[in-house]
Amino acid sequence: MGVFERFLSVWVALAIAAGVALGQFAPAVPEALARWEYAHVSIPVAVLIWAMIFPMMAQIDFTAVIGVRHQPRGLIITTTVNWLIKPFTMFAIAWLFLKVVFAPLIPVPLANEYLAGAILLGAAPCTAMVFVWSTLTRGDAAYTLVQVALNDLIMLFAFAPIVVFLLGVSSIQVPWDTVALSVVLYIVIPLSAGYLTRRALTARRGGDWYEQVFLARIAPVTPAGLIITLVLLFAFQGEVILRAPLHIALIAVPLVVQTFLIFFLAYGWARAWRVPHCVAAPGAMIGASNFFELAVAVAIALFGLQSGAALATVVGVLVEVPLMLALVRIANATRGHFSAPVAAAGRRA
């Protein structure tokens, strides 16, 4: 786990401070960048989001999905929890806290926006950071790759309908064309670019060069894009944070509850089904964590840089790493509760 990943919450906190300061002392900068938009999509933010997401997509070898027939129980758990349970529990938990428990503390319009941000997080299971969590729990790297690749393929078709449905249930009206544009911009294009880049460079330079040289060279692009995006985001959110800093903690509460709920649901299910720990732990981590880069991008595209929805997705970034490291410790401490695998993942058990 690199320095950036280990201290991600620290970097996010520093980005918050830098962004708020920029918005307060140099407001002309974010105001000028805000004018560069097309079809309600911020062009500078779109470029930064692509910079964040592309290196992740370039890591995914979609030919690994061929191995989907091996260890099917792990894949059934991952896909069921991520797509049939997680988005709806996130909606229910966030609605309960933001619209009921914290109703006296959060104005209704802001509560709706925070709820929208939580929905976007819940509909986007983790893509890249799960490889870090898999390594820390001694997960099967090849099987983790299959789980992530399958989730990314499902995301192409399931993300938009789930988001539109849950936002509609929340009485938050979002036009289909805006969601569809976000899916094309932040899923289809980076996914296709990553796939084509892998194919072209692997054919030309070989798989070892691609994995060891090319991916290593582009790896710093993601953290740089994330931090710059957060600085810009908080340059617009500065007034909200200074006016109501308590809201950051209030938004974090349902996100924390959801993270632990989904982890223990998937992890416990895997144990009951006698799934090996090297498959169960990464699978539970995929559901517990979020593809926050995508959630941030779509929140900005749908609701704007200054929206409560965008702020809620960034709170997801802030709390994720400490929570996931806690879950890594739990997974490692409970390894002995799982049966030893009778065969390596990727072979028939």
Side-chain angles (χ1 to χ4, degrees), residues 65-72 75 348:
V65 178
I66 296 173
V68 76
R69 65 187 184 277
H70 303 303
Q71 286 283 7
L75 292 167
R348 186 172 298 278

Side-chain angles (χ1 to χ4, degrees), residues 226-241:
L226 175 61
I227 293 303
I228 296 172
T229 301
L230 294 181
V231 170
L232 182 59
L233 179 62
F234 278 97
F236 287 94
Q237 293 282 356
E239 287 296 330
V240 176
I241 295 169

Side-chain angles (χ1 to χ4, degrees), residues 5-54:
E5 291 84 0
R6 187 180 301 114
F7 298 105
L8 179 57
S9 292
V10 175
W11 307 133
V12 171
L14 292 174
I16 291 173
V20 171
L22 180 65
Q24 293 298 304
F25 300 110
V29 176
E31 289 172 3
L33 292 174
R35 289 194 289 268
W36 289 79
E37 67 173 32
Y38 177 77
H40 304 292
V41 173
S42 169
I43 295 175
V45 171
V47 171
L48 290 169
I49 296 295
W50 286 330
M52 279 193 285
I53 296 177
F54 170 74

Side-chain angles (χ1 to χ4, degrees), residues 253-291:
V253 171
L255 302 185
V256 171
V257 173
Q258 162 79 357
T259 298
F260 280 98
L261 171 66
I262 292 301
F263 173 81
F264 284 111
L265 176 62
Y267 198 57
W269 185 359
R271 182 177 182 274
W273 261 17
R274 299 183 181 277
V275 173
H277 188 269
C278 62
V279 171
M285 297 290 178
I286 292 173
S289 54
N290 304 301
F291 189 176

Side-chain angles (χ1 to χ4, degrees), residues 155-180:
M155 194 182 305
L156 279 172
F157 307 100
F159 179 80
I162 289 174
V163 165
V164 170
F165 172 73
L166 290 177
L167 290 177
V169 170
S170 310
S171 299
I172 302 169
Q173 298 303 316
V174 177
W176 258 100
D177 56 351
T178 305
V179 179

Side-chain angles (χ1 to χ4, degrees), residues 81-105:
V81 169
N82 284 347
W83 298 107
L84 298 181
I85 298 176
K86 178 182 178 181
F88 306 98
T89 57
M90 175 66 92
F91 165 76
I93 293 169
W95 182 88
L96 174 64
F97 280 99
L98 298 174
K99 303 277 287 182
V100 179
V101 178
F102 299 147
L105 302 173

Side-chain angles (χ1 to χ4, degrees), residues 140-161:
D140 185 312
Y143 199 87
T144 301
L145 183 62
V146 173
Q147 290 173 308
V148 170
L150 182 60
N151 272 286
D152 279 354
L153 292 175
I154 294 173
M155 194 182 305
L156 279 172
F157 307 100
F159 179 80

